[in-house]
């Protein structure tokens, strides 16, 4: 049989058009939390109420996100995404109406929960697809391509989560506070549908195929996988607490609207170093990367405690960014490596939900700390998050099985 002289690449397997599509498909998710916050504050005049609704979005994602991933593993991504995208578009439009209605606040909480619960999880689904495609490459190329893929996906997430709030701000400024939520609904309806129908979306498996290829659910609760979920939740805490603490810091200086721009310093640095981590030698194993990156973040949060002016604040954010991007890549790579057979979408949504849970909880806690005890107290929360990230990295060091320790990845 004639063998092609050119072996396939990930780009040739996915198609060049896949990557911009997958990037835009995750933009509505990045707009939801801050879009809901902006809308509620404008419509109901309460920052506290806006924060609670944002937390409800996060709670919805945390509760239902992994179930959407499990449905994708069981029934295929295409039907799962088409249903989730349709429900999410309706939920976003419903919430835009609820915010301006005369209905009580609990109705808004339910609406916000539905927005989060129906979020289509484009980012974890994309990781799951690419992980599957990497398995079609020659064995000797898989470790390097997997590392590069996770680096790319993390960099895209960073860019989208920096760009998402900017889009929300522009839409709200130009068209009113309801525009970001309505815009997210339209983007979801169009791009999640296209993402669902893309040829990389694996078809649903028969009952016989599922029985043969799906690992039992109990394997999702193994300590070596759960420690990755716990670890990535600490990164979510870091995101939420840093942005909220930074907002308080800038509010003290009468320039609260600049908080998002300054936060971008951490996001941009994080994205750059997420890509750079793929260039490091395989001898710098995932097991070792985790605590090393966490120490870098811890150093940044320690510097943050002494930040009394903008230059020092920016220096601390830049130092944190150097560690955050590579740490996310490391955790997603470990998640892919430790995913039970046929459960990659479930694992990736568990990790994505872990970030959202940490972010939502930290935003509420840090906001309360800022209000009750001032900005200095609020800036302690990122330090605690960094310490927890390091502690979970140490735990992972001992939980890593011998087979992984011997492996390049």
């Amino acid at each position: 049989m004639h063998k092609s002289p050119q072996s396939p690449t990930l780009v040739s397997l996915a198609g060049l058009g896949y990557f911009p599509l997958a990037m835009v498909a995750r933009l509505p998710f990045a707009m939801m939390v801050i879009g809901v916050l902006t809308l509620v504050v404008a419509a109901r005049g309460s920052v506290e109420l806006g924060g609670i609704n944002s937390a409800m979005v996060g709670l919805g994602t945390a509760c239902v996100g992994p179930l959407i991933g499990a449905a994708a593993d069981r029934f295929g991504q295409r039907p799962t995404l088409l249903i989730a995208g349709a429900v999410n578009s309706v939920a976003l439009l419903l919430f835009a109406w609820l915010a301006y209605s005369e209905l009580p606040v609990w109705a808004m909480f339910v609406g916000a929960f539905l927005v989060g619960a129906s979020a289509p999880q484009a980012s974890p689904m994309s990781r799951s697809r690419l992980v599957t495609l990497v398995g079609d490459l020659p064995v000797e190329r898989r470790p390097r391509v997997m590392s590069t893929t996770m680096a790319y996906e993390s960099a895209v997430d960073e860019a989208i989560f920096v760009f998402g709030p900017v889009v929300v701000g522009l839409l709200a400024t130009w068209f009113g506070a309801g525009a970001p939520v309505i815009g997210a609904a339209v983007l979801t309806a169009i791009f999640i549908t296209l993402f669902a129908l893309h040829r990389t979306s694996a078809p649903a498996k028969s009952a016989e195929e599922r029985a043969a290829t799906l690992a039992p659910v109990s394997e999702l609760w193994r300590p070596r996988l759960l420690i990755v979920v716990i670890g990535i939740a600490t990164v979510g805490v870091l995101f939420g607490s840093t942005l909220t603490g930074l907002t308080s810091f800038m509010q003290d200086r009468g320039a609260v609207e600049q908080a998002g721009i300054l936060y971008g310093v951490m996001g941009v640095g994080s994205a750059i170093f997420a890509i750079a981590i793929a260039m490091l030698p395989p001898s710098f194993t995932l097991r070792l990367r985790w605590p090393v990156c966490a120490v870098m973040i811890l150093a940044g949060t320690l510097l943050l405690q002494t930040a009394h002016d903008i230059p020092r604040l920016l220096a601390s954010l830049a130092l944190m960014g150097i560690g955050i991007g590579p740490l996310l890549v490391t955790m997603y790579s470990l998640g892919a490596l430790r995913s039970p057979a046929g459960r990659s979408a479930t694992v990736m949504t568990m990790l994505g939900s872990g970030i959202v849970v940490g972010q939502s909880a930290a935003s509420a806690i840090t906001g309360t700390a800022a209000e009750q005890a001032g900005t200095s107290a609020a800036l302690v929360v990122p330090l605690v998050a960094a310490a927890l990230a390091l502690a979970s990295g140490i735990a992972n060091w001992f939980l890593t099985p011998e087979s992984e320790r011997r492996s390049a990845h």
Side-chain angles (χ1 to χ4, degrees), residues 21-393:
L21 174 59
M23 185 183 295
V24 179
R26 65 188 85 189
L27 181 59
F29 188 76
M31 295 168 61
M32 282 177 195
V33 173
I34 194 164
V36 164
L37 174 67
T38 303
L39 174 58
V40 174
V41 171
R44 300 282 177 123
S46 169
V47 176
E48 182 182 17
L49 191 58
I52 295 172
N53 275 279
S54 293
M56 291 302 292
V57 174
L59 182 62
T61 302
C63 292
V64 184
L67 299 180
I68 292 176
D73 281 331
R74 191 172 182 83
F75 305 113
Q77 282 198 21
R78 184 164 295 166
T80 304
L81 282 169
L82 287 173
I83 293 169
V87 173
N88 191 240
S89 293
V90 173
L92 284 162
L93 294 173
L94 174 64
F95 187 82
W97 176 78
L98 284 171
Y100 289 106
S101 74
E102 298 297 321
L103 291 174
V105 293
W106 64 261
M108 290 173 59
F109 295 159
V110 173
F113 182 88
L114 286 174
V115 166
S118 59
Q121 306 289 328
S123 178
M125 297 291 185
S126 177
R127 279 187 172 86
S128 177
R129 291 187 195 189
L130 295 179
V131 165
T132 302
L133 291 176
V134 169
D136 295 333
L137 297 175
V139 175
E140 68 276 5
R141 287 173 49 208
R142 289 177 195 171
R144 172 64 71 183
V145 176
M146 179 68 79
S147 179
T148 306
T149 301
M150 290 299 121
Y152 165 79
E153 285 286 302
S154 296
V156 169
D157 279 347
E158 291 283 352
I160 289 295
F161 273 94
V162 169
F163 186 57
V166 175
V167 174
V168 169
L170 292 174
L171 288 175
T173 302
W174 293 341
F175 304 109
V181 172
I182 296 169
V186 173
L187 287 172
T188 296
I190 296 171
F191 289 99
I192 290 297
T193 301
L194 293 173
F195 181 67
L197 297 175
H198 192 270
R199 63 183 172 86
T200 53
S201 183
K205 294 179 179 178
S206 66
E208 293 77 16
E209 286 174 320
R210 289 200 300 269
T213 58
L214 270 185
V217 175
S218 58
E219 290 196 22
L220 293 170
W221 310 116
R222 290 187 174 184
R224 69 173 184 262
L225 181 55
L226 288 180
I227 193 63
V228 183
V229 178
I230 292 168
I232 210 163
T234 66
V235 178
V237 172
L238 197 68
F239 285 150
S241 60
T242 302
L243 180 55
T244 308
L246 182 57
T247 302
S248 177
F249 184 94
M250 295 309 294
Q251 188 176 35
D252 292 346
R253 285 152 183 79
V256 70
E257 69 281 353
Q258 294 178 18
I261 298 170
L262 296 180
Y263 183 68
V265 170
M266 186 176 80
V268 170
S270 180
I272 292 170
F273 281 90
I275 290 289
I277 194 77
M279 301 173 189
L280 292 175
S283 57
F284 187 26
T285 62
L286 297 172
R287 182 185 184 219
L288 179 58
R289 289 181 195 181
W290 187 334
V292 169
C293 293
V295 167
M296 187 70 68
I297 298 167
L298 187 62
T301 55
L302 282 168
L303 182 60
L304 188 63
Q305 308 309 305
T306 67
H308 302 298
D309 52 33
I310 300 296
R312 184 166 291 201
L313 178 77
L314 292 175
S316 64
L317 291 172
L319 189 55
M320 289 162 64
I322 292 171
I324 288 174
L327 182 57
L328 276 177
V329 174
T330 300
M331 289 175 172
Y332 274 114
S333 297
L334 284 170
L337 192 63
R338 297 174 183 179
S339 293
R343 300 281 184 184
S344 64
T346 306
V347 171
M348 290 303 160
T349 47
M350 286 171 65
L351 296 178
S353 296
I355 292 179
V356 174
V357 171
Q359 191 174 21
S360 300
S363 296
I365 293 168
T366 311
T368 302
E371 194 169 317
Q372 302 295 329
T375 299
S376 296
L379 294 178
V380 172
V381 184
L383 177 62
V384 174
L388 292 173
L390 178 57
S392 58

